[in-house]
Amino acid sequence: MLRAEVLWGREQMDREVSCGFGCDLISDSLSFARPGCLLLTGLTNVQIVRLAEMVEAQAIVFVRGKKPGMEVIELACQKNLPLLSTQFFLFESCGILYQAGLRSF
């Protein structure tokens, strides 16, 4: 539905997510993301993988066609965290997932 490219973790696409969270601010993500979430963001640095691990996210979807560097992909691989990239903007991505039944909490 997001027509996302799997950057890493193709074999883990059957993971269940309990909610979605979209944000480009580390501080807000730390405060409001919930365990089991699908994290949508435009941030592509290593901090987003570390944040995803801290909030126990199930995967990261990079929006606006963004793709992280190899350092981020390698860290996600070490953390066993799937990475995807979609051409949709954050707002559109959240709307598509919301219409499909994914909620924020």
Side-chain angles (χ1 to χ4, degrees):
M1 75 188 62
L2 291 179
R3 289 181 262 161
E5 175 186 354
V6 179
L7 303 174
W8 187 87
R10 181 168 302 283
E11 66 285 347
Q12 299 182 47
M13 291 297 104
D14 60 347
R15 285 186 171 193
E16 284 193 34
V17 295
S18 58
C19 57
F21 184 79
C23 189
D24 282 347
L25 293 174
I26 294 285
S27 58
D28 281 359
S29 298
L30 280 169
S31 297
F32 301 112
R34 298 291 179 251
C37 73
L38 178 63
L39 181 60
L40 296 102
T41 187
L43 300 174
T44 58
N45 55 38
V46 293
Q47 285 79 17
I48 198 65
V49 174
R50 298 197 186 285
L51 179 142
E53 181 183 28
M54 291 175 66
V55 301
E56 300 175 29
Q58 291 298 305
I60 299 172
V61 178
F62 298 105
V63 296
R64 300 187 301 274
K66 290 189 167 189
K67 294 181 182 175
M70 282 308 298
E71 181 183 7
V72 173
I73 294 172
E74 288 171 4
L75 182 60
C77 179
Q78 291 172 15
K79 304 296 182 186
N80 203 29
L81 182 69
L83 302 177
L84 301 97
S85 176
T86 181
Q87 293 295 320
F88 290 114
F89 279 61
L90 181 60
F91 181 79
E92 294 171 292
S93 299
C94 292
I96 290 167
L97 294 172
Y98 187 86
Q99 278 191 318
L102 188 65
R103 299 297 184 252
S104 58
F105 294 103

